[in-house]
Amino acid sequence: MNSKIGLKLLVVVICLTFTSPIYAQEADHNHHHHQYELGLANSAVYFPKEKETAYGLHLHLIRNIKHSKLGFGLAYERIFDEHRHNTIGLVGSYNLFESMHISLSPGITFEDNEMSALRFAFHAEAAYGFNLGHLHLGPMLEFAFDPEHYHISVGLHVGYGF
């Protein structure tokens, strides 16, 4: 993916993220929090050092703590680039308000061709979700790093609560 397209996508997602709280003030606030969330994020992943953009897929399963804004679970990210980047980690989630979530995920990163070279990784993500019954979807922004790379991801988060 061309880096100019990735930059344009980043600008659009940031604009949507900052204007969506205006919509949320008018939205129905009868949403209840589910015990679990299975989430998926499709994103454009930009590597600033390499000036390259690739497709990324992020999956997570979060167990929300009853009567709390906190949750915890497992996360997996795959970046479809020349390195075939994979990250597996623990994830902690916090609901800032009704539909705005942040999550932090320490874990390990490895590449398909170098399974023995595990590296520490850390991901921080913010997502805003418009509720559609058990589903919620909206923009997401992520920053991630490991000792060799760092990247910024923007995309669409889709979650299913159950």
Side-chain angles (χ1 to χ4, degrees):
M1 183 183 290
N2 185 325
S3 63
K4 289 182 183 180
I5 293 171
L7 184 58
K8 288 177 184 177
L9 180 61
L10 174 65
V11 170
V12 169
V13 171
I14 289 172
C15 289
L16 287 173
T17 300
F18 288 112
T19 59
S20 56
I22 295 168
Y23 169 80
Q25 292 174 2
E26 299 173 10
D28 180 13
H29 293 286
N30 291 328
H31 172 71
H32 72 283
H33 296 280
H34 300 282
Q35 186 173 7
Y36 291 94
E37 177 191 289
L38 180 60
L40 174 137
N42 288 291
S43 60
V45 180
Y46 181 66
F47 292 91
K49 286 183 181 179
E50 295 86 8
K51 297 184 179 12
E52 293 179 359
T53 305
Y55 169 70
L57 178 67
H58 177 99
L59 301 167
H60 67 251
L61 178 63
I62 294 177
R63 165 72 161 92
N64 293 307
I65 299 171
K66 190 174 185 177
H67 305 296
S68 169
K69 293 183 172 193
L70 298 172
F72 62 92
L74 298 173
Y76 171 73
E77 179 184 63
R78 170 71 179 212
I79 299 175
F80 296 88
D81 62 352
E82 64 192 48
H83 305 289
R84 297 181 295 254
H85 171 102
N86 299 276
T87 301
I88 298 172
L90 301 174
V91 62
S93 174
Y94 181 74
N95 297 325
L96 289 173
F97 52 87
E98 183 68 27
S99 297
M100 182 72 175
H101 309 277
I102 59 169
S103 62
L104 303 175
S105 180
I108 55 170
T109 292
F110 58 93
E111 296 171 1
D112 283 355
N113 57 354
E114 295 180 23
M115 289 291 291
S116 62
L118 300 177
R119 303 182 304 271
F120 171 78
F122 185 80
H123 290 216
E125 179 181 307
Y128 188 89
F130 296 97
N131 296 315
L132 303 168
H134 290 282
L135 289 176
H136 61 268
L137 62 117
M140 59 78 67
L141 176 65
E142 177 192 66
F143 175 77
F145 72 91
D146 66 50
E148 292 184 16
H149 303 283
Y150 70 96
H151 64 264
I152 301 164
S153 302
V154 283
L156 178 67
H157 171 86
V158 178
Y160 176 74
F162 57 98

